[in-house]
Amino acid sequence: MQTTFALKGNLVYTPVCGELAQHPNSYLVCENGTVAGVFDVLPERYRGIPVEDYGDKLILPGFVDLHVHAGQYAYRGLGMDMELLDWLEQNAFPEESRFAEETYAEAAYRIFVDALLHSTTTRASIFATLHRPATLRLMQLLDQAGLPCYVGKVNMDRNSPDYLRETTEQSLAETRRWLEESSDFRLVHPILTPRFTPSCTDALMAGLGRLQREFGVPMQSHLSENLSEIAWVQELCPGTRFYGEAYAQFGLFGGDCPTVMAHCVWSGEEERALIKENGVFIAHCPQSNMNVSSGIAPVKQYLQEGQKVGLGSDVAGGAHLSILRAMTDAIQCSKLRWRLVDQDTPALTVPEALYMATKGGGAFFGKVGSFEPGYEFDAVVMDDSTLPTTRTCTLTERLERIVYLSDGRPCAKYAAGRKLF
Amino acid sequence: MQTTFALKGNLVYTPVCGELAQHPNSYLVCENGTVAGVFDVLPERYRGIPVEDYGDKLILPGFVDLHVHAGQYAYRGLGMDMELLDWLEQNAFPEESRFAEETYAEAAYRIFVDALLHSTTTRASIFATLHRPATLRLMQLLDQAGLPCYVGKVNMDRNSPDYLRETTEQSLAETRRWLEESSDFRLVHPILTPRFTPSCTDALMAGLGRLQREFGVPMQSHLSENLSEIAWVQELCPGTRFYGEAYAQFGLFGGDCPTVMAHCVWSGEEERALIKENGVFIAHCPQSNMNVSSGIAPVKQYLQEGQKVGLGSDVAGGAHLSILRAMTDAIQCSKLRWRLVDQDTPALTVPEALYMATKGGGAFFGKVGSFEPGYEFDAVVMDDSTLPTTRTCTLTERLERIVYLSDGRPCAKYAAGRKLF
């Protein structure tokens, strides 16, 4: 592997939310896996390094999927005619139970990893299923593909069918064993994954809190997605004032270990204050929120409040793995929210959506999602010559066309300084 | 051209709104351009006719796009950060003005027709621009491609920039000449196209009404898309009780000549009653209604009321020509409408969306959009083997996957009994 090299092309990224940095026909230099800088002309000190010239194509930071269920990928686009809790019971749970079978898991995860590899996504925070061996195999496949992801073995010890439930002891023992066994992947790391409060007893949550402090791993779950779900959590956790407290009471809500919560469609003021105080990331999953009739999260407000926000495909609540699609879904939903719910909050813009899709979600992984010096070298090369038009477009317009119209398959892709294809 | 032949494959269509007819591994027989029937086993009388065997692929009726602006296709995906009236002024109008130039129009319409040809759409009701020569060239290209469409030369004589406005006399004279010159296409027919009330004086509307009665042509326009637009029409037409009356007062609102009105996002009770009474078609364009922040039309209610409803891409308010995408947009928007606006009206289902995309919109063209005997033979063959999954799917599930996940490019296509590819 070349440790120092450059890509040449039209560079576009978002160092600040809502602002596009555009460097036409420029060099993006990689040194030891991180961005050394962006240059109009290659400086003297880089004379002679290999340069991959992508001509007139666009080069964007790798995209980040902050919330996706690998164990539901085979189910995408199916059974979309119900709300969350019914959808889980009738669709997601039966599908996930099949990952107990190693051959099924192998075939399904190979399809998922191949699709992720050929998408614009370089990093993702992934739910596997509750099965330790299948989860480890998914981590191995991602590691081999060169995709630096977080992957979680799911925990569930209540309110789920017999065929997809652990005892509390099993769940904690399997999680410990999985954390121990997943320590030696090169790029892929474990993330604690209690499915959501309704699926996890207090004893399990308390045990996961202890494991988090022992292993120092991040954590992901779901929060305030659906009104029936929120009402159920209130019944299950009568001592809490809001859903987020159901996690926070066990130390599982940001602070020392990074936490990402999917959805936050219906988070109230107190919950939003705690999310902000604890630096919890919000994974906005607009398509899933449409498909399972959850609603529209106030994402523009979250950005205005200074919350940490990224985008999630939430496959298979969402049908599409493409984070470009998540960008347009987020923009379109924000327009409907403006029109139907809150005319004081304007719609999202393409630069804001690109920020969430790259640097916003990327921050969950460290210095990820930008071409600023010191950022991990994640990049995708997009060819818009396949989108014929009679117009001569500016670089901003070419970005818009790629976001709205492209099939989401880059022609080249780099993650952590390594060329994947 | 073979006048009698059959396709073999998995046939799916919607004879009744909301109900799927499924005929796995069956024959669809074409006689003289229309459907002769669907058969499990080919009847004796058809012994020896050519059979195109599409194996395990799905065969669906050709899709209908009830509202699309061919003169905006080059602009799709661009300038999506404004509402309707600003978007027209800043984006659509400058783009459409370029169709005065024949070489521009030729290049742009070739791209449009090629995209339409390779989509699932077999029939469309199309806005060209106000330029007669370019409009005729578009009709010729569509006719040569074998796509039986309605195409309209747009009329505009007020409230539009100097570079895209006719005098009333010019507009009527050019329209008459265009109607005369467009009478000899084989498959493509003219449709009167006053842009919308704000663009057309009373004198122009009255003249178009006379032309309609003289030539017996159908008519298309926009209705109740955006709240500012509706308020503007109220100012412009103080004698009308609702927007639809601004057309109806000139006889341009259904009745003897078929009429299709795009959007109807904000149609009130009186307007809906007149739409129904006059048999006006509603072209539901959900993606455009998101992109230009118009809102969500109550389409499920329209179906329940027995209105005639089809789907429109509304390119370039919509970014995508795919009516499969319009189906998912319609379903997703209906779920948000249920959640945010009206919990008494359930969301649309895939069979309802397929109905609107085929037989619902098809009725504007006559007996179109179904595999029932006597319907025009329009069909698309969809290959879902490119959408890998570990699941064994039913035919219904395969349809759902095609709707949500396919790239919208059929592997074979027939219109009016003729194979296009």
Side-chain angles (χ1 to χ4, degrees):
Chain A
M1 189 170 89
Q2 291 287 352
T3 54
T4 303
F5 63 92
L7 312 186
K8 186 158 182 250
N10 296 304
L11 311 176
V12 181
Y13 58 105
T14 49
V16 174
C17 183
E19 292 175 23
L20 290 185
Q22 304 189 35
H23 297 266
N25 202 21
S26 296
Y27 296 86
L28 175 67
V29 175
C30 176
E31 276 187 302
N32 300 317
T34 61
V35 174
V38 166
F39 307 98
D40 291 350
V41 176
L42 208 56
E44 191 58 43
R45 66 183 182 281
Y46 296 123
R47 187 64 60 83
I49 65 171
V51 174
E52 191 98 49
D53 190 344
Y54 288 107
D56 195 38
K57 297 185 176 70
L58 270 74
I59 304 177
L60 310 174
F63 286 57
V64 176
D65 188 343
L66 266 194
H67 185 66
V68 54
H69 294 262
Q72 296 172 8
Y73 188 69
Y75 213 84
R76 69 202 199 286
L78 294 176
M80 285 294 167
D81 52 350
M82 48 193 95
E83 270 194 272
L84 174 68
L85 299 177
D86 291 332
W87 184 84
L88 285 172
E89 198 79 18
Q90 292 182 44
N91 297 341
F93 289 167
E95 175 62 27
E96 288 187 24
S97 72
R98 303 189 63 178
F99 288 74
E101 245 178 81
E102 271 180 58
T103 49
Y104 187 84
E106 175 77 20
Y109 282 151
R110 278 187 179 277
I111 291 173
F112 170 78
V113 172
D114 185 64
L116 195 67
L117 177 62
H118 291 97
S119 77
T120 57
T121 299
T122 45
R123 299 183 190 238
S125 192
I126 301 172
F127 279 55
T129 64
L130 52 70
H131 313 93
R132 183 181 42 79
T135 303
L136 287 164
R137 181 62 182 140
L138 172 60
M139 296 173 86
Q140 195 172 45
L141 289 169
L142 290 162
D143 209 57
Q144 287 163 357
L147 294 163
C149 293
Y150 285 124
V151 176
K153 173 214 160 328
V154 175
N155 301 100
M156 310 168 70
D157 71 341
R158 68 171 172 184
N159 293 319
S160 46
D162 290 346
Y163 61 76
L164 195 71
R165 192 176 59 234
E166 309 160 291
T167 66
T168 309
E169 297 65 38
Q170 271 174 343
S171 191
L172 291 171
E174 285 290 282
T175 302
R176 171 179 291 280
R177 190 171 158 193
W178 161 69
L179 287 170
E180 288 163 354
E181 290 172 346
S182 61
S183 62
D184 58 352
F185 294 112
R186 191 172 56 91
L187 295 166
V188 176
H189 301 293
I191 181 167
L192 282 185
T193 306
R195 180 171 213 116
F196 69 156
T197 297
S199 300
C200 302
T201 60
D202 286 3
L204 177 54
M205 287 292 201
L208 291 174
R210 287 190 298 272
L211 282 173
Q212 185 177 49
R213 288 181 286 281
E214 181 181 340
F215 285 86
V217 281
M219 180 265 200
Q220 63 184 351
S221 195
H222 298 89
L223 183 66
S224 298
E225 175 176 2
N226 171 289
L227 294 172
S228 310
E229 172 211 17
I230 293 169
W232 193 14
V233 171
Q234 193 54 54
E235 272 176 46
L236 291 167
C237 310
T240 57
R241 289 169 306 156
F242 51 87
Y243 192 165
E245 278 199 341
Y247 298 109
Q249 64 185 336
F250 302 106
L252 290 165
F253 205 66
D256 292 340
C257 294
T259 294
V260 58
M261 287 287 167
H263 306 304
C264 304
V265 175
W266 299 102
S267 296
E269 266 185 50
E270 283 183 306
E271 187 161 279
R272 287 154 73 154
L274 188 62
I275 289 171
K276 181 149 190 216
E277 189 184 325
N278 289 6
V280 170
F281 281 76
I282 296 168
H284 176 45
C285 307
Q287 189 181 133
S288 167
N289 297 338
M290 289 194 274
N291 283 338
V292 290
S293 300
S294 301
I296 305 174
V299 186
K300 181 81 166 204
Q301 288 177 3
Y302 291 160
L303 291 175
Q304 289 168 339
E305 289 169 14
Q307 303 280 13
K308 297 173 173 174
V309 190
L311 295 176
S313 67
D314 194 21
V315 159
H320 299 93
L321 211 48
S322 166
I323 297 297
L324 293 168
R325 174 70 179 260
M327 286 173 63
T328 58
D329 288 332
I331 293 168
Q332 290 167 341
C333 283
S334 75
K335 290 173 175 174
L336 291 178
R337 194 172 199 284
W338 170 80
R339 169 56 73 202
L340 302 174
V341 180
D342 169 20
Q343 298 208 11
D344 292 329
T345 305
L348 293 167
T349 64
V350 169
E352 286 168 339
L354 182 62
Y355 177 87
M356 290 193 290
T358 54
K359 193 172 174 179
F364 190 64
F365 293 81
K367 293 185 85 167
V368 163
S370 181
F371 291 153
E372 294 158 85
Y375 271 69
E376 301 228 28
F377 193 92
D378 293 3
V380 289
V381 182
M382 302 303 293
D383 180 4
D384 57 353
S385 71
T386 55
L387 304 170
T389 182
T390 41
R391 296 185 61 83
T392 307
C393 292
T394 64
L395 201 43
T396 305
E397 289 176 327
R398 292 177 62 192
L399 172 70
E400 285 178 43
R401 281 170 54 82
I402 287 168
V403 170
Y404 278 94
L405 306 176
S406 95
D407 66 359
R409 294 173 73 94
C411 60
K413 182 165 170 177
Y414 298 78
R418 185 162 160 262
K419 184 171 186 173
L420 307 191
F421 60 82
Chain B
M1 191 169 90
Q2 292 286 349
T3 55
T4 303
F5 63 93
L7 313 186
K8 185 158 184 249
N10 296 303
L11 310 176
V12 181
Y13 59 106
T14 50
V16 174
C17 183
E19 291 175 24
L20 290 184
Q22 304 189 36
H23 297 267
N25 203 22
S26 296
Y27 297 85
L28 176 67
V29 175
C30 177
E31 276 187 301
N32 300 317
T34 61
V35 174
V38 166
F39 307 98
D40 292 350
V41 176
L42 208 56
E44 190 59 43
R45 67 184 180 281
Y46 297 123
R47 186 66 58 86
I49 65 171
V51 175
E52 190 98 49
D53 190 343
Y54 289 108
D56 195 38
K57 298 185 176 68
L58 270 73
I59 304 178
L60 309 174
F63 286 57
V64 176
D65 188 343
L66 266 193
H67 185 66
V68 55
H69 294 262
Q72 296 172 8
Y73 188 68
Y75 214 85
R76 68 202 198 284
L78 294 177
M80 286 294 167
D81 51 350
M82 49 194 94
E83 269 193 273
L84 175 67
L85 299 177
D86 291 333
W87 184 84
L88 285 172
E89 197 78 20
Q90 293 182 43
N91 297 341
F93 290 167
E95 175 62 27
E96 289 187 23
S97 73
R98 303 190 63 178
F99 288 75
E101 245 178 82
E102 273 181 54
T103 49
Y104 187 85
E106 175 76 20
Y109 282 152
R110 278 189 180 276
I111 291 173
F112 171 77
V113 172
D114 184 66
L116 195 67
L117 177 61
H118 291 98
S119 77
T120 57
T121 299
T122 45
R123 302 187 187 234
S125 191
I126 301 174
F127 279 55
T129 64
L130 51 72
H131 313 94
R132 183 182 42 78
T135 303
L136 287 164
R137 182 61 182 139
L138 172 60
M139 295 172 87
Q140 195 172 43
L141 289 169
L142 290 161
D143 209 56
Q144 287 163 357
L147 295 162
C149 294
Y150 285 124
V151 176
K153 174 218 159 330
V154 175
N155 299 100
M156 310 168 69
D157 72 342
R158 70 171 171 184
N159 293 320
S160 47
D162 289 346
Y163 61 77
L164 195 71
R165 191 176 60 233
E166 308 159 293
T167 65
T168 309
E169 297 66 35
Q170 272 175 344
S171 191
L172 290 171
E174 285 290 282
T175 301
R176 171 178 291 281
R177 187 169 161 195
W178 160 70
L179 287 170
E180 288 163 355
E181 291 172 346
S182 60
S183 61
D184 58 350
F185 295 111
R186 192 173 54 91
L187 295 167
V188 175
H189 301 292
I191 181 166
L192 283 185
T193 306
R195 180 171 212 117
F196 67 156
T197 297
S199 301
C200 301
T201 60
D202 286 2
L204 177 55
M205 287 292 201
L208 292 174
R210 287 191 298 272
L211 283 173
Q212 185 177 49
R213 286 182 287 281
E214 181 181 342
F215 285 84
V217 282
M219 179 264 199
Q220 61 183 350
S221 196
H222 298 89
L223 183 65
S224 299
E225 174 176 2
N226 171 289
L227 294 173
S228 311
E229 172 211 18
I230 294 168
W232 193 16
V233 170
Q234 193 53 55
E235 273 176 46
L236 292 166
C237 309
T240 57
R241 288 169 305 156
F242 49 88
Y243 192 165
E245 278 201 340
Y247 298 108
Q249 64 184 337
F250 302 105
L252 291 165
F253 205 67
D256 291 340
C257 294
T259 295
V260 57
M261 288 285 166
H263 306 304
C264 305
V265 176
W266 300 102
S267 296
E269 265 183 51
E270 284 183 303
E271 186 162 279
R272 286 154 74 156
L274 189 62
I275 289 172
K276 183 155 188 210
E277 190 183 325
N278 289 6
V280 170
F281 282 76
I282 296 168
H284 176 45
C285 308
Q287 189 182 131
S288 168
N289 297 339
M290 290 194 275
N291 283 337
V292 290
S293 301
S294 301
I296 305 174
V299 185
K300 180 80 167 203
Q301 288 177 5
Y302 291 160
L303 291 175
Q304 289 168 340
E305 289 169 16
Q307 303 279 13
K308 297 172 172 175
V309 191
L311 295 177
S313 67
D314 193 22
V315 159
H320 299 95
L321 211 47
S322 167
I323 296 297
L324 293 168
R325 175 68 179 260
M327 287 174 63
T328 58
D329 288 333
I331 294 168
Q332 289 167 342
C333 283
S334 75
K335 289 173 176 177
L336 290 179
R337 195 171 197 285
W338 169 80
R339 170 55 76 202
L340 301 174
V341 179
D342 169 19
Q343 299 208 10
D344 292 329
T345 305
L348 293 167
T349 64
V350 169
E352 286 168 338
L354 182 64
Y355 178 86
M356 291 193 290
T358 55
K359 193 173 175 179
F364 189 64
F365 294 80
K367 292 186 85 167
V368 165
S370 181
F371 292 153
E372 293 157 86
Y375 272 69
E376 301 227 28
F377 193 92
D378 294 3
V380 289
V381 183
M382 304 302 293
D383 180 5
D384 58 353
S385 71
T386 54
L387 304 170
T389 181
T390 40
R391 294 184 63 84
T392 307
C393 291
T394 64
L395 201 44
T396 306
E397 289 177 326
R398 291 177 62 193
L399 172 70
E400 286 178 41
R401 280 171 53 83
I402 286 168
V403 170
Y404 277 94
L405 305 176
S406 95
D407 65 359
R409 294 173 74 92
C411 60
K413 182 167 170 176
Y414 298 77
R418 184 162 161 263
K419 183 171 186 174
L420 307 191
F421 58 82

